[in-house]
Amino acid sequence: MSYRFQFFLRLLVPVSVVAFAGCQTIAPTSSPSSNDRPMTLCDAPAVHAQCVDVLAATHWSSMVVVGNALEINPLIEALMPTVGVGSSADVAMAVRILESPANDSLVIVDHSEKFRVAVLRAALAKVKAPLTPRNVAIVVKDPGRYADLQAQATSLGLHLRLVPTSHL
């Protein structure tokens, strides 16, 4: 292969990853009521179960959902750290919500538990106290693993719900 072609392929992979990482695929729901309201992140099949788990565990009347509904194949997921694609947009959004004066509950969703936890950790590290007390939730397989995250959120005046996943 020529040098130009190899160079083009090397550029194409990171650009594709960046383009697809920012996308959120939202498929129409089969519910007849879905036509009555706008589509949300929770309507995406990749994260719908997480939203259902959070609602079942918390019964919150309203919540702001931050995250990514894109299902990423293992190759793209492996390349993401090397090309610098990360959760910076989700972290920035979570920080804005946590620092806002409104008392909106925050839920972080993604197909990857590692991603959800990383976004929450980064957001908690970046927020400036004092914060308006609010509810925060993520779905995890084993809530007991994240006692340090729970303590960090509590020290900031947040009520963190580590919701056990209903599906594995």
Side-chain angles (χ1 to χ4, degrees), residues 68-151:
N68 190 355
L70 180 68
E71 293 190 48
I72 300 173
N73 69 41
L75 175 62
I76 292 175
E77 191 168 18
L79 288 173
M80 288 174 86
T82 62
V83 295
V85 177
S87 59
S88 61
D90 294 311
V91 170
M93 178 69 80
V95 168
R96 276 196 305 268
I97 293 164
L98 291 173
E99 291 181 337
S100 76
N103 192 9
D104 297 323
S105 298
L106 171 64
V107 178
I108 300 172
V109 297
D110 188 78
H111 74 284
S112 165
E113 178 177 326
K114 181 179 172 183
F115 180 90
R116 293 187 301 268
V117 171
V119 168
L120 182 57
R121 282 190 195 281
L124 293 178
K126 288 184 178 191
V127 294
K128 297 175 185 91
L131 298 175
T132 302
R134 78 182 70 244
N135 295 310
V136 179
I138 59 171
V139 175
V140 293
K141 289 179 187 169
D142 181 14
R145 289 183 51 204
Y146 302 106
D148 63 319
L149 193 58
Q150 187 74 261

Side-chain angles (χ1 to χ4, degrees), residues 1-18:
M1 285 193 280
S2 73
Y3 176 74
R4 283 186 174 167
F5 184 72
Q6 289 176 349
F7 179 74
F8 174 75
L9 284 179
R10 287 184 183 150
L11 282 177
L12 182 62
V13 170
V15 169
S16 299
V17 170
V18 169

